[in-house]
Amino acid sequence: MSAIENSKLAIIGAGAVGTSLAYASLIRQSAREVVLYDINEAKVEAEVLDLAHGTQFTGASCVSGGSDLDAIAGANMVVITAGARQHPGQSRLDMAGVNVGILRELMPKLVERAPDAVFMIVTNPCDILTYAALHFSGLPSARVFGSGTVLDSSRLRWLLSHRVDVAIANVHAVIVGEHGDSEFPLWSQARVGPISLAQWVADDLSPVTNGRVKFSEAEFEAITEDVKTAAYRVIAGKGATNYAIGLSGARIVEAVLRDEGAVLPVSSVLTGYRGVSKVALSVPTVVNADGVSRVIEVPFSDSEQTLFQHSADTLRATLDRLGLA
Amino acid sequence: MSAIENSKLAIIGAGAVGTSLAYASLIRQSAREVVLYDINEAKVEAEVLDLAHGTQFTGASCVSGGSDLDAIAGANMVVITAGARQHPGQSRLDMAGVNVGILRELMPKLVERAPDAVFMIVTNPCDILTYAALHFSGLPSARVFGSGTVLDSSRLRWLLSHRVDVAIANVHAVIVGEHGDSEFPLWSQARVGPISLAQWVADDLSPVTNGRVKFSEAEFEAITEDVKTAAYRVIAGKGATNYAIGLSGARIVEAVLRDEGAVLPVSSVLTGYRGVSKVALSVPTVVNADGVSRVIEVPFSDSEQTLFQHSADTLRATLDRLGLA
Amino acid sequence: MSAIENSKLAIIGAGAVGTSLAYASLIRQSAREVVLYDINEAKVEAEVLDLAHGTQFTGASCVSGGSDLDAIAGANMVVITAGARQHPGQSRLDMAGVNVGILRELMPKLVERAPDAVFMIVTNPCDILTYAALHFSGLPSARVFGSGTVLDSSRLRWLLSHRVDVAIANVHAVIVGEHGDSEFPLWSQARVGPISLAQWVADDLSPVTNGRVKFSEAEFEAITEDVKTAAYRVIAGKGATNYAIGLSGARIVEAVLRDEGAVLPVSSVLTGYRGVSKVALSVPTVVNADGVSRVIEVPFSDSEQTLFQHSADTLRATLDRLGLA
Amino acid sequence: MSAIENSKLAIIGAGAVGTSLAYASLIRQSAREVVLYDINEAKVEAEVLDLAHGTQFTGASCVSGGSDLDAIAGANMVVITAGARQHPGQSRLDMAGVNVGILRELMPKLVERAPDAVFMIVTNPCDILTYAALHFSGLPSARVFGSGTVLDSSRLRWLLSHRVDVAIANVHAVIVGEHGDSEFPLWSQARVGPISLAQWVADDLSPVTNGRVKFSEAEFEAITEDVKTAAYRVIAGKGATNYAIGLSGARIVEAVLRDEGAVLPVSSVLTGYRGVSKVALSVPTVVNADGVSRVIEVPFSDSEQTLFQHSADTLRATLDRLGLA
């Protein structure tokens, strides 16, 4: 049956993030075929073996890869997790510059081998690199986006779910802006099931309210702070974050490869969105086989608009310093 | 390992609805063990065989059953799909009365055999029978509810999902009130991803808007009508509805057996909810291993309040005529 | 992303078998897109609606269809469940002739609209119609096969699994030959985990043997009889079989659409297999995106060879009477 | 619903293996609740956070944990991945002695908190520690086993699956004996679908044989060597193995928590099995909610019997040196 094309996912970078994303994708069967690439041949071959040894338990999904970039040929989606880590004494800007340099060289090679793929940037600083990757790719803007604040939003929803004792699937809240310090939750749109989070109160008709009370402004702020510092606490305790970003990434992959039209806060280069252009930022976005099918115009409160503009200004300044017009 | 208790689901009634629900539950592995009961021995044994013959393909789930009610002993959840159909010349009220009579006899026998179970009524008229079943069971109100408008809401979401070209999981809308002619969508709370349905417009930043326009009042009304008449059209074409109610039921079962805290518009006997008491109606409800963990106080618009009260009055009148105080 | 092609499954016939197969495929996400076709417009549209109303609970899978055959265009797999039932007074041969006539007209239309698809025949008599469908299609023999004894083998495994108290996934046994009265289990190859079924004995080291004893010849015969008459008992009790064949069919669909290389006893036209040619019979077969990738040469005992030849002769005689050379 | 008890899995040790096993269990929903314990508080809390941050994408499964052992109270299954690594200059025997010492202290504390649990040892040397853990636990032998050669068998099946181009699920082969250098494949029982691996030949009826030939003795030996050295190659390239053992472990957990009766080559203390007693070794075993439900008496060839006895002697000698009678 030459006509069917089973979904092929290429993951660039066999570090903790890339391999966790591969592992999650195999277990979830997010793709039929996962190809892992890294310049470190010994490392990537060991990771592929370790992943392949578990495929008795992952249905029809399979994994291969190595240090030959040609293995990604014809991929339907390419996820980039490769990049330099921040060295001691190196500024974040310097580190960003190094990773921009990597993408400058890498993107044309990837596009050459997978010309029809959707590209997702996971490497940090995610928003900066998404802008750079689009620039270097020459592709339409819909086809290049970053994993953005999908992970941050998942952290927020996990906290809220425990707070209100409702399934995380029914707690709707989203972090927007930079995947970094200037990000913020869209509290004005947060919901528990069909009601606004601000309306979630204790004086309920149910027999099991357990004295719940309304959310206070202070609690909203504490939760915001908790989410924004979560990555730092994970890194302090284990040296890196990998599992949650791996799952978040696999979930976004599914939205593309299954052509879902799922609403996810990925980071894409905006044009005239709430007054913002020429930076990549995360906002609620419809993701399907085209990549970014639509960025959703969300009503912001005044303070949210201010925070969003601040996030954009921060990123634009960095892009300027990196020479990315 | 005597301590672990794998989930046991009992389904009462081996008609098209009961068996579709069993089939969906087995395939989804909603329960470890499905027991099907019907008074018609030849029928139920054939249905159990037909379901069991497919269990090579349903993982660890298994099915058994027959016409001996003792097979449901110790069930964690009991789903009631049994009941009389409306005969030609018989009024809907008469039919309801017959089914109330069945529950009057059945509920004590079920509670005796599965004293710790959560009970769900699927048989129609669902809201009337939920009220009756609670009454006859002697159980706390949290432990007896109806499948209510979970199916109707799924129909609404399917229509909206196609209209806005967004994944159904991200189209949040709910039908409340009677599972029947007086039901209505809570348009005031309907959302696409993070925004109100009323805000979903065409003049978007995305490259693929395809000239979408705002929803009009007329379109809302047309969709409402479409949902409310959907069951009639299915019945006209195939004589019954079974597949969607089967899946909806299996989904609710999971919310209970996995202790999810999922928000679902099931029907439960209300007390002082938006001024309504002593009828069972569907409103957004947190469902977990306790059954109804909490009914969520949703803000209604004035017209929604009027419709809700009308739905309650309609049902209360029927309950009165059936002698159910 | 024009390069990705999500899997499309067309099901011909919206009866109990076709719709159960569609339902199972949607729930299992066997295909991204399910299209249901039937000549009875009112019936098929009602079935599509009933299936679609449940898709809130089936992930990214979707369903559509109707009475316009063009809807199957570009399908990756086509499953045929349509056909006449046996009328009272009509012989089985007459009924087979009617269904051959249907395929004679249908196959060219299907191949025209889905020229690259793999075709599976589910309608009975399955082996006769598989031979006819291949003949009328003009396709390579690998691309047309029947669901064969996949269901019968599942029935056998279910019985054995209960008998030895081992997970059905680890009970390996297969029915071969005609999907009908002349079928038989390949007892010589039946296994429980890594040992022959004949070696499964009671004097085991485990603390929980419960006095198990070796299988006797009489027990093998009783199980064979049980499997061969199972369909009759289901039909006697509920008028038809649909759930197990629906699941079996969905499973085979996955083997093709996921390019699995799964070993399944499907029915295909044999050439020189154990001395048999020019009939379609079920033998263990590697199924992947090509359809039949390989029929596996299984060693038969002398009595198995005799039974297999008998099955072939029976079918060849019917094909002769139907004028299918 | 006080009667239902959702499955609780405790994982001891938050290293790469323990957290990969937790990750796989969450994604696969192997357990409803995963609790991770480690003595390193900062590390385990960071790992729990990283895992929890992804639970938006893992259905109803949830994760918690820390450095307080009381969190495992009431677990249905306890998986032990904790242990010392081999230090430079330290012999393997010395390392084993250290881990035996850890279990001597740990097992009574675990059994006190989870008295009804099934216990699985993943830490190496797996067979030695399984024997020790059973000894220190005071539990019936069925309730304590090791992950054994489930992973090694998965490696073997992956290699064979690629060699014969058949789905891994239909390639039946098993490694038995020590989880270590003296392990060996039971070639005499290896199968592809319904036939012996030795019978898998090229002169097949299928159109796609591609010149396959019979397996040679040399090829069997090469594959055996490949499997036995696989872990060393993974460790050489990435410093450890974690993903495949994580998946293997999650799969075994499911066999217990779902009461499957699955056949898996776990390691348990044998009594009179093929002449072997008083050591823990992997042989095909029926695993269900009781833990080891039955070890299956597999016929060995003469050379397999010799290898098995050698594996047992090797382990018994180590146990003797460690003072474990």
Side-chain angles (χ1 to χ4, degrees):
Chain A
M1 187 170 56
S2 57
I4 197 169
E5 185 172 330
N6 285 294
S7 55
K8 179 172 178 175
L9 167 67
I11 299 172
I12 310 300
V17 173
T19 57
S20 291
L21 204 156
Y23 194 51
S25 296
L26 287 167
I27 300 176
R28 293 169 66 96
Q29 306 189 46
S30 310
R32 170 68 179 77
E33 188 182 354
V34 175
V35 175
L36 190 62
Y37 165 83
D38 200 287
I39 50 169
N40 183 336
E41 184 176 354
K43 166 81 162 141
V44 66
E45 291 188 349
E47 295 289 358
V48 167
L49 265 188
D50 196 16
L51 290 164
H53 288 155
T55 46
Q56 179 187 339
F57 311 110
T58 61
S61 297
C62 68
V63 62
S64 61
S67 59
D68 179 355
L69 202 55
D70 289 345
I72 76 157
N76 302 108
M77 184 159 186
V78 178
V79 175
I80 298 169
T81 71
R85 289 200 186 191
Q86 207 168 345
H87 292 296
Q90 189 185 37
S91 74
R92 294 185 70 174
L93 189 67
D94 288 347
M95 189 265 286
V98 171
N99 284 334
V100 166
I102 290 172
L103 284 185
R104 190 187 313 266
E105 193 187 354
L106 191 59
M107 285 306 296
K109 294 180 185 170
L110 298 176
V111 174
E112 183 191 345
R113 285 163 178 81
D116 297 314
V118 168
F119 291 81
M120 177 166 72
I121 311 297
V122 176
T123 313
N124 280 322
C126 175
D127 305 290
I128 297 295
L129 297 183
T130 296
Y131 189 90
L134 176 62
H135 185 72
F136 301 139
S137 73
L139 294 172
S141 63
R143 295 254 307 278
V144 182
F145 62 82
S147 51
T149 54
V150 172
L151 167 57
D152 314 75
S153 299
S154 178
R155 286 171 177 149
L156 174 62
R157 294 175 69 162
W158 174 71
L159 286 171
L160 293 173
S161 169
H162 276 260
R163 171 64 174 73
V164 299
D165 206 12
V166 166
I168 196 167
N170 296 112
V171 176
H172 308 289
V174 67
I175 303 272
V176 298
E178 181 194 8
H179 174 56
D181 294 343
S182 71
E183 70 185 12
F184 61 97
L186 274 185
W187 287 123
S188 66
Q189 307 297 336
R191 318 272 287 186
V192 181
I195 69 170
S196 163
L197 189 62
Q199 290 166 324
W200 184 263
V201 290
D203 54 340
D204 193 88
L205 300 171
S206 144
V208 290
T209 51
N210 297 323
R212 289 189 195 89
V213 293
K214 262 198 177 181
F215 280 87
S216 65
E217 205 49 50
E219 190 172 10
F220 281 136
E221 280 168 31
I223 291 172
T224 302
E225 192 60 21
D226 197 339
V227 171
K228 290 174 67 168
T229 58
Y232 295 111
R233 277 174 293 134
V234 173
I235 291 169
K238 60 178 276 197
T241 75
N242 61 306
Y243 289 129
I245 184 65
L247 254 169
S248 303
R251 177 66 195 92
I252 304 170
V253 165
E254 293 160 13
V256 173
L257 293 181
R258 296 179 189 161
D259 194 19
E260 290 189 6
V263 178
L264 293 163
V266 297
S267 177
S268 64
V269 177
L270 301 177
T271 303
Y273 185 95
R274 300 284 162 217
V276 165
S277 294
K278 294 195 69 186
V279 292
L281 279 178
S282 291
V283 295
T285 302
V286 181
V287 179
N288 65 14
D290 297 315
V292 171
S293 158
R294 176 175 177 146
V295 286
I296 299 177
E297 282 268 313
V298 185
F300 286 173
S301 69
D302 286 353
S303 64
E304 288 165 350
Q305 178 68 39
T306 302
L307 289 165
F308 190 67
Q309 188 63 55
H310 170 67
S311 213
D313 293 346
T314 303
L315 286 164
R316 186 65 250 168
T318 302
L319 290 169
D320 286 345
R321 270 175 284 158
L322 291 166
L324 289 160
Chain B
M1 190 169 56
S2 57
I4 197 170
E5 185 171 329
N6 286 292
S7 53
K8 179 171 177 175
L9 167 66
I11 299 173
I12 310 300
V17 172
T19 58
S20 292
L21 204 156
Y23 193 51
S25 296
L26 287 166
I27 300 176
R28 292 170 66 96
Q29 305 189 46
S30 310
R32 171 68 180 78
E33 189 182 352
V34 175
V35 175
L36 190 63
Y37 165 83
D38 200 287
I39 50 169
N40 183 337
E41 183 175 355
K43 167 83 161 138
V44 67
E45 291 188 349
E47 294 290 358
V48 166
L49 264 188
D50 195 16
L51 291 163
H53 287 155
T55 46
Q56 179 186 340
F57 311 111
T58 61
S61 296
C62 68
V63 62
S64 60
S67 59
D68 178 355
L69 202 54
D70 288 344
I72 76 156
N76 302 107
M77 185 159 184
V78 179
V79 176
I80 299 169
T81 70
R85 292 200 186 189
Q86 206 169 344
H87 292 297
Q90 188 185 36
S91 75
R92 294 185 70 174
L93 189 67
D94 288 346
M95 188 265 287
V98 171
N99 285 334
V100 166
I102 290 172
L103 285 184
R104 191 188 313 264
E105 192 186 355
L106 191 59
M107 286 306 296
K109 294 181 186 172
L110 297 176
V111 173
E112 183 191 346
R113 286 163 178 81
D116 297 314
V118 168
F119 292 81
M120 178 166 72
I121 310 297
V122 176
T123 312
N124 280 323
C126 175
D127 305 289
I128 297 295
L129 297 182
T130 295
Y131 188 90
L134 176 63
H135 185 73
F136 300 138
S137 73
L139 294 172
S141 63
R143 296 255 306 279
V144 182
F145 61 82
S147 51
T149 54
V150 172
L151 166 57
D152 313 75
S153 299
S154 178
R155 286 171 178 150
L156 174 62
R157 293 175 71 162
W158 174 71
L159 285 171
L160 292 173
S161 168
H162 276 261
R163 171 64 174 73
V164 298
D165 206 11
V166 165
I168 196 167
N170 295 112
V171 176
H172 308 289
V174 66
I175 302 271
V176 298
E178 180 194 9
H179 174 56
D181 294 342
S182 70
E183 71 185 12
F184 61 98
L186 273 186
W187 287 122
S188 66
Q189 307 297 335
R191 317 273 286 184
V192 182
I195 69 171
S196 163
L197 189 62
Q199 291 166 324
W200 184 263
V201 290
D203 53 340
D204 192 87
L205 300 170
S206 143
V208 290
T209 50
N210 295 325
R212 289 188 195 91
V213 293
K214 263 198 177 181
F215 281 87
S216 65
E217 205 49 50
E219 189 171 10
F220 281 136
E221 279 168 33
I223 291 171
T224 301
E225 191 60 21
D226 197 338
V227 171
K228 291 174 67 168
T229 57
Y232 295 111
R233 277 173 292 133
V234 173
I235 292 169
K238 61 178 275 196
T241 76
N242 62 307
Y243 289 129
I245 184 64
L247 254 169
S248 304
R251 177 66 196 92
I252 304 170
V253 165
E254 293 160 14
V256 173
L257 293 181
R258 297 178 188 161
D259 194 20
E260 290 189 6
V263 178
L264 294 163
V266 297
S267 177
S268 63
V269 176
L270 301 176
T271 303
Y273 185 95
R274 300 282 162 220
V276 165
S277 294
K278 294 194 69 186
V279 292
L281 279 179
S282 291
V283 295
T285 302
V286 181
V287 178
N288 65 14
D290 298 315
V292 171
S293 159
R294 176 175 176 145
V295 286
I296 299 177
E297 282 270 310
V298 186
F300 286 173
S301 68
D302 286 353
S303 64
E304 288 166 349
Q305 179 66 39
T306 302
L307 289 165
F308 189 68
Q309 188 62 55
H310 170 67
S311 213
D313 293 346
T314 303
L315 286 164
R316 187 63 251 169
T318 302
L319 289 169
D320 286 344
R321 269 174 285 157
L322 291 165
L324 288 160
Chain C
M1 189 169 55
S2 56
I4 198 171
E5 183 172 331
N6 285 292
S7 53
K8 179 170 177 176
L9 167 66
I11 299 172
I12 310 301
V17 172
T19 58
S20 292
L21 203 156
Y23 193 51
S25 295
L26 287 166
I27 300 176
R28 293 169 66 96
Q29 306 189 46
S30 311
R32 171 68 180 77
E33 189 183 352
V34 175
V35 175
L36 190 62
Y37 165 83
D38 200 287
I39 50 169
N40 183 337
E41 183 174 355
K43 166 80 163 141
V44 68
E45 291 187 349
E47 294 290 358
V48 166
L49 264 187
D50 195 16
L51 291 163
H53 288 156
T55 47
Q56 178 187 341
F57 311 110
T58 61
S61 296
C62 67
V63 62
S64 61
S67 58
D68 178 356
L69 202 55
D70 288 345
I72 76 157
N76 302 107
M77 186 160 183
V78 178
V79 175
I80 298 169
T81 71
R85 290 200 188 190
Q86 205 169 344
H87 292 297
Q90 189 184 36
S91 74
R92 294 184 70 174
L93 189 68
D94 288 346
M95 188 265 286
V98 172
N99 284 335
V100 167
I102 291 173
L103 285 184
R104 190 188 313 264
E105 193 186 355
L106 191 60
M107 286 306 297
K109 294 182 185 170
L110 297 177
V111 173
E112 183 190 347
R113 286 164 178 81
D116 297 314
V118 167
F119 291 80
M120 178 165 72
I121 311 297
V122 176
T123 313
N124 280 323
C126 176
D127 305 288
I128 297 295
L129 298 182
T130 295
Y131 188 90
L134 175 64
H135 185 73
F136 301 139
S137 72
L139 293 173
S141 64
R143 296 256 306 279
V144 181
F145 63 80
S147 51
T149 54
V150 173
L151 167 56
D152 314 75
S153 299
S154 178
R155 287 171 177 150
L156 174 63
R157 294 175 71 162
W158 174 70
L159 286 171
L160 292 173
S161 169
H162 277 260
R163 171 64 174 72
V164 298
D165 205 13
V166 165
I168 195 167
N170 297 112
V171 176
H172 308 290
V174 66
I175 302 272
V176 299
E178 181 194 7
H179 174 56
D181 294 343
S182 70
E183 72 186 11
F184 60 98
L186 274 185
W187 286 121
S188 66
Q189 306 297 335
R191 316 274 285 186
V192 181
I195 69 170
S196 163
L197 189 61
Q199 291 166 323
W200 185 262
V201 289
D203 53 339
D204 194 87
L205 301 170
S206 143
V208 291
T209 51
N210 297 322
R212 288 187 197 95
V213 292
K214 264 198 176 182
F215 281 88
S216 65
E217 205 49 50
E219 190 171 7
F220 282 137
E221 279 168 32
I223 291 172
T224 301
E225 192 59 23
D226 197 338
V227 171
K228 290 174 68 168
T229 57
Y232 295 110
R233 277 172 293 134
V234 173
I235 291 169
K238 59 178 277 196
T241 75
N242 60 308
Y243 290 129
I245 184 63
L247 254 168
S248 303
R251 177 66 196 91
I252 304 170
V253 165
E254 294 160 13
V256 172
L257 293 180
R258 295 177 190 163
D259 193 18
E260 291 189 5
V263 177
L264 293 163
V266 297
S267 177
S268 63
V269 176
L270 301 176
T271 303
Y273 184 96
R274 300 285 163 216
V276 166
S277 294
K278 293 195 69 185
V279 292
L281 278 179
S282 291
V283 294
T285 302
V286 181
V287 179
N288 64 14
D290 298 315
V292 171
S293 158
R294 176 175 175 147
V295 286
I296 299 178
E297 281 269 311
V298 186
F300 286 174
S301 68
D302 286 354
S303 64
E304 288 165 350
Q305 178 67 37
T306 303
L307 289 165
F308 190 67
Q309 188 63 54
H310 171 66
S311 214
D313 293 346
T314 303
L315 286 164
R316 187 64 250 170
T318 302
L319 290 168
D320 286 344
R321 269 175 284 157
L322 291 165
L324 288 160
Chain D
M1 189 169 54
S2 57
I4 197 170
E5 185 171 330
N6 286 294
S7 54
K8 179 171 178 175
L9 167 66
I11 299 173
I12 310 300
V17 173
T19 58
S20 292
L21 204 156
Y23 193 51
S25 296
L26 288 166
I27 300 176
R28 292 169 67 96
Q29 305 190 49
S30 311
R32 171 68 180 76
E33 188 183 352
V34 175
V35 175
L36 190 62
Y37 165 82
D38 200 287
I39 51 170
N40 183 336
E41 183 175 354
K43 167 79 163 142
V44 67
E45 291 187 350
E47 294 290 358
V48 166
L49 264 187
D50 195 16
L51 291 164
H53 288 155
T55 46
Q56 178 187 340
F57 310 111
T58 61
S61 297
C62 68
V63 62
S64 61
S67 58
D68 179 354
L69 202 54
D70 289 344
I72 76 156
N76 301 108
M77 186 161 183
V78 178
V79 176
I80 298 169
T81 71
R85 290 199 188 192
Q86 206 169 344
H87 293 296
Q90 189 184 37
S91 73
R92 294 186 69 173
L93 189 68
D94 288 346
M95 189 264 285
V98 171
N99 285 335
V100 167
I102 290 172
L103 285 185
R104 190 188 312 265
E105 193 186 355
L106 191 60
M107 286 306 297
K109 294 182 186 170
L110 297 176
V111 173
E112 184 191 345
R113 285 163 178 83
D116 296 315
V118 168
F119 291 81
M120 178 167 71
I121 311 298
V122 176
T123 312
N124 280 324
C126 176
D127 305 289
I128 297 295
L129 297 182
T130 295
Y131 189 90
L134 175 64
H135 185 74
F136 300 139
S137 72
L139 293 171
S141 64
R143 297 255 306 279
V144 182
F145 62 81
S147 50
T149 54
V150 173
L151 166 57
D152 313 75
S153 300
S154 177
R155 287 171 178 150
L156 174 63
R157 294 175 70 163
W158 174 71
L159 285 171
L160 292 174
S161 168
H162 276 260
R163 171 63 175 73
V164 298
D165 205 12
V166 165
I168 196 167
N170 295 113
V171 176
H172 308 289
V174 67
I175 302 272
V176 298
E178 180 193 8
H179 174 56
D181 294 342
S182 70
E183 72 186 12
F184 61 98
L186 274 186
W187 288 122
S188 65
Q189 306 297 336
R191 316 274 286 185
V192 182
I195 69 171
S196 164
L197 189 61
Q199 291 166 324
W200 184 262
V201 290
D203 54 340
D204 193 88
L205 301 169
S206 142
V208 290
T209 52
N210 296 323
R212 287 187 198 93
V213 292
K214 263 198 177 182
F215 280 87
S216 66
E217 206 48 50
E219 189 171 9
F220 282 136
E221 279 168 32
I223 291 172
T224 301
E225 192 59 22
D226 196 339
V227 171
K228 290 174 68 168
T229 57
Y232 295 110
R233 276 172 293 135
V234 173
I235 291 169
K238 61 177 277 196
T241 75
N242 61 307
Y243 289 129
I245 184 64
L247 254 169
S248 303
R251 177 66 195 90
I252 304 170
V253 165
E254 294 159 13
V256 173
L257 293 181
R258 296 178 189 161
D259 194 18
E260 290 189 6
V263 178
L264 293 163
V266 297
S267 177
S268 63
V269 176
L270 301 176
T271 303
Y273 184 96
R274 300 285 162 214
V276 166
S277 294
K278 293 194 69 184
V279 293
L281 279 178
S282 292
V283 294
T285 302
V286 181
V287 179
N288 65 14
D290 297 315
V292 171
S293 158
R294 175 176 177 147
V295 287
I296 299 178
E297 281 269 311
V298 186
F300 286 174
S301 68
D302 285 353
S303 63
E304 288 166 350
Q305 178 67 38
T306 303
L307 290 164
F308 190 67
Q309 188 63 54
H310 170 65
S311 213
D313 293 345
T314 303
L315 287 164
R316 188 63 249 170
T318 302
L319 290 168
D320 286 344
R321 270 175 283 159
L322 291 166
L324 288 160

